[in-house]
Amino acid sequence: MLAVILAAVFSGCGGDDAKMVSSFSSFEAQSSSPVSENENKYVRVPLVRGMNMTCWEMKEWRPVEYLTEEKYYKELTSKGFDHVRIPVDFTLYSQNTGDYIIDSDFLTKLDTAIRLALDNGLYAVLDMHGCGSISRNVSAYEDMLYSYWRQLSERYSGYDERLLFELLNEPNTKGTEGDDPLNGEKLNRIINNLIKIIRETNPDRVIVAALGNGNTVYDMDSVTLPEDDPNIIAAFHSYEPMEFTHQGVTWSATADYPAPCEWKQEYEDTVEDVINRAAEWSEKTGRQVWLGEFGVSLEKLPESSVSQYLSFITRLCEEKNIGWCYWEFWMSFGAFNRHTDS
């Protein structure tokens, strides 16, 4: 299926990277001191085409070790990808009481994955892919999240600037029930506290932030980022329209999107609205936006519909100078066939 994805992507952009790549100035982490209003205030990171390297964010996939095998990073580089995102649920690999110490054996594996990405010319985004039930009970999990990022920021403070820290994946700030549910005000506090924690050891590290409910473009104003910190970019996710991208999935108890559902004009309108909203936010604020997740279930869809969707959304992103990161490499949305190792 990687071949289908590549064919769709490169046909969608005409096979020419020059326009997209040239839109990013040569990347260098900016000084954390305030920048004049009439200067280019904020960092631009050359995240153009990426892949989510999944498995460490799910309990069921903990035994999988492909992230520590170099051949997969070499394959991505050879196919024109320039970055990977590494989602991790650290609650699966840590003490869940006390100081929330992350398991040293797992951290050694994570070191390997990051270094393999960097050594093969890829940027790496380390993604905090959730933190227990923080959306339902902030007071019970907030300290855990802070502890994780203290440990990680200290451990990776000396790493190449091509390693980025993504603070929290898809925070759920609306409609969540619980003892202390997350909302926009609490998310704003948490994101800004995390920025301060990371800046203690990584003053210029590029940080990736979710700005509202579920990383959607419909809620990008819950978080106010510090204006005197130029090295922060915003992540958004898009699986619109869900009835197309999630049709036929078998792993979700809540998704009921029957297959087949062919790609059609109204879906193009929906996707175009999402990408335009992200581009407008970027133009308004001056900060870079990055499509950190998008993708389609490959369980039921014919290749022709997959190609139509992928070529359309990636072409739109590249027209708007928005980098993207496909979800995902290994599982039901997977670009890679783990059964044939190809």
Side-chain angles (χ1 to χ4, degrees):
M1 191 53 72
L2 182 57
V4 175
I5 293 170
L6 289 167
V9 168
F10 286 102
S11 66
C13 68
D16 181 6
D17 294 339
K19 180 181 176 183
M20 180 67 171
V21 175
S22 66
S23 71
F24 297 99
S25 57
S26 120
F27 168 59
E28 181 177 350
Q30 303 294 314
S31 166
S32 58
S33 60
V35 184
S36 170
E37 285 291 333
N38 56 10
E39 293 178 350
N40 184 12
K41 288 180 64 173
Y42 300 122
V43 70
R44 296 284 292 175
V45 188
L47 305 177
V48 181
R49 294 176 178 141
M51 183 68 69
N52 277 276
M53 306 296 277
T54 48
C55 284
W56 285 344
E57 81 286 3
M58 294 184 64
K59 181 178 181 180
E60 296 83 354
W61 291 96
R62 279 187 295 178
V64 174
E65 300 292 341
Y66 84 90
L67 284 94
T68 59
E69 296 184 48
E70 186 170 23
K71 64 181 180 180
Y72 300 112
Y73 300 92
K74 286 184 177 294
E75 179 79 0
L76 289 172
T77 302
S78 72
K79 295 296 190 294
F81 290 88
D82 53 72
H83 68 280
V84 294
R85 180 174 182 248
I86 304 175
V88 182
D89 180 351
F90 286 95
T91 65
L92 302 175
Y93 308 98
S94 71
Q95 301 172 2
N96 291 332
T97 58
D99 295 330
Y100 309 109
I101 301 301
I102 303 171
D103 179 73
S104 60
D105 290 339
F106 175 74
L107 285 173
T108 299
K109 294 178 182 178
L110 182 58
D111 296 345
T112 299
I114 293 170
R115 289 202 175 278
L116 286 173
L118 300 177
D119 289 348
N120 282 281
L122 298 163
Y123 283 74
V125 181
L126 177 55
D127 160 40
M128 182 71 62
H129 206 77
C131 182
S133 297
I134 193 168
S135 292
R136 298 187 186 90
N137 195 338
V138 171
S139 55
Y141 289 93
E142 191 171 358
D143 286 344
M144 176 188 288
L145 182 60
Y146 296 155
S147 175
Y148 288 159
W149 274 119
R150 283 193 182 94
Q151 295 172 68
L152 295 168
S153 58
E154 290 172 5
R155 186 177 188 89
Y156 297 118
S157 61
Y159 272 52
D160 191 294
E161 64 181 4
R162 290 174 298 137
L163 172 62
L164 283 61
F165 292 163
E166 185 173 358
L167 302 178
L168 184 62
N169 175 73
E170 295 188 354
N172 187 350
T173 63
K174 295 185 177 181
T176 304
E177 297 180 355
D179 295 332
D180 183 15
L182 187 65
N183 58 28
E185 181 180 353
K186 294 172 187 175
L187 178 64
N188 184 57
R189 183 190 73 234
I190 289 169
I191 293 296
N192 278 278
N193 284 344
L194 289 172
I195 292 169
K196 291 175 184 176
I197 288 169
I198 289 169
R199 289 295 176 243
E200 292 174 4
T201 52
N202 293 256
D204 298 320
R205 176 79 54 195
V206 174
I207 290 172
V208 182
L211 303 182
N213 183 56
N215 280 91
T216 72
V217 294
Y218 307 108
D219 186 27
M220 294 186 73
D221 295 315
S222 292
V223 174
T224 301
L225 298 173
E227 292 214 9
D228 62 350
D229 192 329
N231 292 334
I232 305 172
I233 69 173
F236 73 102
H237 296 173
S238 174
Y239 290 100
E240 293 88 357
M242 289 286 287
E243 64 263 31
F244 178 81
T245 63
H246 282 60
Q247 62 182 285
V249 300
T250 58
W251 40 261
S252 172
T254 58
D256 183 19
Y257 304 115
C261 175
E262 299 291 333
W263 185 250
K264 50 192 174 184
Q265 178 62 49
E266 67 183 81
Y267 294 161
E268 294 189 1
D269 296 339
T270 299
V271 172
E272 189 166 12
D273 178 64
V274 170
I275 302 305
N276 284 340
R277 285 173 183 261
E280 288 165 6
W281 184 91
S282 181
E283 183 176 359
K284 178 181 72 173
T285 62
R287 289 198 188 266
Q288 180 179 348
V289 292
W290 168 64
L291 179 54
E293 285 187 28
F294 75 104
V296 59
S297 172
L298 304 175
E299 294 181 3
K300 303 288 185 180
L301 266 178
E303 289 185 2
S304 59
S305 285
V306 173
S307 294
Q308 285 178 287
Y309 164 72
L310 292 174
S311 62
F312 187 78
I313 191 170
T314 56
R315 177 179 57 80
L316 276 178
C317 284
E318 296 185 7
E319 286 177 357
K320 300 292 185 180
N321 294 327
I322 295 173
W324 51 258
C325 193
Y326 180 76
W327 184 275
E328 39 74 34
F329 189 71
W330 192 256
M331 296 183 289
S332 63
F333 284 50
F336 189 82
N337 188 332
R338 66 181 183 272
H339 303 296
T340 62
D341 198 38
S342 62

